[in-house]
Amino acid sequence: MKHLFEELGNVLARGEEAVLVTVIASSGSTPRGAGSRMLVRGDGSIRGTIGGGAVEYRAIQLAMDAMREKVSYTKGFNLTKNEVSDIGMVCGGRVTVYFQYVSPKDEEFRELCLRIQDAFGRDEDSWLVMDISDETCWRMGIGNRREGWENLPGKPGIFGSRAGQWQAGGRSYYVEPLVQAGRVCIFGGGHVARELVPVLAHLGFRCVVMDDREEFASPRVFPEAEQIVVGDMERIGDYLAVGQRDYVCVMTRGHSFDYLVQRQMLVCRPRYLGVIGSRNKIAAVAEKLLQDGFTREEIEMCHMPVGTQIYAETPAEIAISIAGELIAVRAGHPDIGRHMDL
């Protein structure tokens, strides 16, 4: 979403019009759910996707019509089994799509694009809020502490990590997570970390990499990382504050460093704590942590070995397995991937 709104801002700055296509509801088996978004430019080129296939093809045509007519509206796509078979798609179901015409003369929307970019640079929860009560003139805004909670319908605590529609004060709203607070703190800049950071960055996770060796923790090695830290692994708190909204991946160069990091991170109680390694190595580290006074319950809350069970072997495969686990936790399924039984 960050890159899409950045591109939309650039399009408007060039004096060009565009249509923002958003899936606001879906049911059944569909390629993409609510929150999928695509930008259609004046020349018919696109940025983003709402799932591909026949629905996306038709959506591009409708977006071009909306641009010519300078109007906004919703459109439902209902794919029955026969229709799915006829057009060669695997998925069936129903999606509701909103086509939002954006004029280059709309200074308010251009300003919104800048505020969205600013929100992505801050470690705080933000939601994109659209008043969909009148489909011809929907309004869009940001809800967060900086922008003001009054932009959100109801109490902000009811919103989580998924898009949805809400009713409040006699009006209808579509609310979608824009930024979820919390970074992925990766300890150890080895082969797996080098594969993991680009994947996580592409998925919208903000990454911090820490190592005690400059050659393993540098912007050149991790250009996608938000922050690089070179420091003493025995004193992480001197360099980096890890909070309860953060995700932690421990993948240092050896048992002793993994133990040092995990011991400090257990005290921080992050949202996710994953440790790489064999079961024998993890069991040995767990035994030392028990001797340090940590309980079995605290240790078993860790994801060990890190990653979903896809029988990964190479660094790239392990990175994908870790990314899958982080996606599950971010989506509200924290128990996925907890393999250890002490």
Side-chain angles (χ1 to χ4, degrees):
M1 193 189 303
K2 176 182 178 182
H3 299 300
L4 188 145
F5 276 97
E6 181 179 13
E7 174 60 18
L8 177 55
N10 292 336
V11 169
L12 298 177
R14 293 195 298 266
E16 302 171 10
E17 56 190 356
V19 171
L20 193 58
V21 182
T22 305
V23 176
I24 61 170
S26 65
S27 61
S29 178
T30 57
R32 299 290 290 273
S36 302
R37 186 174 279 109
M38 173 177 66
L39 173 65
V40 181
R41 308 177 184 90
D43 61 0
S45 62
I46 65 171
R47 179 71 181 262
T49 179
I50 60 169
V55 171
E56 183 164 294
Y57 175 74
R58 180 61 179 146
I60 294 172
Q61 293 178 317
L62 291 172
M64 297 300 292
D65 291 341
M67 212 175 309
R68 281 190 292 271
E69 298 171 12
K70 303 185 187 316
V71 296
S72 301
Y73 56 85
T74 57
K75 170 71 175 177
F77 295 87
N78 188 25
L79 296 177
T80 66
K81 290 184 178 179
N82 289 336
E83 288 171 328
V84 171
S85 176
D86 289 343
I87 60 180
M89 291 184 69
V90 175
C91 302
R94 179 174 178 80
V95 293
T96 302
V97 182
Y98 176 58
F99 296 84
Q100 183 176 14
Y101 169 73
V102 186
S103 168
K105 298 179 181 179
D106 191 338
E107 295 293 337
E108 184 178 340
F109 203 96
R110 288 179 60 183
E111 175 63 25
L112 175 64
C113 290
L114 295 175
R115 285 160 49 210
I116 288 174
Q117 294 300 306
D118 180 69
F120 275 107
R122 301 183 182 279
D123 187 30
E124 61 183 9
D125 290 339
S126 297
W127 288 268
L128 195 63
V129 184
M130 291 196 292
D131 184 336
I132 61 176
S133 304
D134 181 353
E135 68 177 35
T136 62
C137 57
W138 286 8
R139 294 181 63 81
M140 182 182 294
I142 301 175
N144 57 28
R145 295 191 183 280
R146 183 172 299 275
E147 296 282 341
W149 290 123
E150 64 273 10
N151 293 330
L152 290 172
K155 297 180 180 180
I158 67 175
F159 303 119
S161 58
R162 293 189 179 277
Q165 295 187 36
W166 306 88
Q167 303 290 325
R171 302 193 68 81
S172 299
Y173 298 89
Y174 169 78
V175 182
E176 177 184 347
L178 185 65
V179 178
Q180 296 293 281
R183 305 158 299 171
V184 181
C185 300
I186 301 169
F187 294 96
H191 296 298
V192 175
R194 295 185 187 193
E195 298 285 353
L196 180 61
V197 170
V199 173
L200 293 182
H202 185 68
L203 294 170
F205 289 96
R206 298 159 46 239
C207 298
V208 177
V209 179
M210 180 173 180
D211 203 298
D212 59 349
R213 302 163 294 177
E214 290 187 6
E215 65 271 23
F216 284 82
S218 73
R220 179 184 57 80
V221 178
F222 295 101
E224 300 90 351
E226 178 182 274
Q227 182 181 1
I228 301 292
V229 179
V230 180
D232 187 345
M233 291 292 199
E234 295 188 55
R235 298 182 295 107
I236 294 172
D238 291 350
Y239 308 89
L240 185 64
V242 177
Q244 295 184 2
R245 301 297 300 273
D246 294 326
Y247 307 78
V248 171
C249 295
V250 183
M251 48 185 67
T252 71
R253 62 183 182 274
H255 293 46
S256 59
F257 282 101
D258 283 350
Y259 160 71
L260 289 172
V261 174
Q262 189 176 359
R263 184 179 65 182
Q264 294 170 80
M265 292 300 102
L266 279 169
V267 175
C268 297
R269 296 185 177 275
R271 181 178 186 181
Y272 168 95
L273 176 51
V275 183
I276 201 169
S278 67
R279 290 185 179 274
N280 288 338
K281 170 249 179 177
I282 288 171
V285 171
E287 185 61 33
K288 293 183 68 175
L289 292 170
L290 286 170
Q291 294 173 7
D292 288 339
F294 293 102
T295 66
R296 289 182 180 272
E297 290 73 18
E298 288 176 312
I299 299 172
E300 288 176 351
M301 288 297 291
C302 301
H303 294 249
M304 304 184 297
V306 67
T308 55
Q309 292 183 336
I310 59 172
Y311 305 99
E313 294 184 359
T314 68
E317 291 173 344
I318 295 170
I320 295 300
S321 75
I322 296 172
E325 196 164 81
L326 291 179
I327 291 171
V329 173
R330 183 170 64 179
H333 301 279
D335 292 329
I336 289 180
R338 288 188 180 135
H339 317 303
M340 188 170 186
D341 184 16
L342 292 177

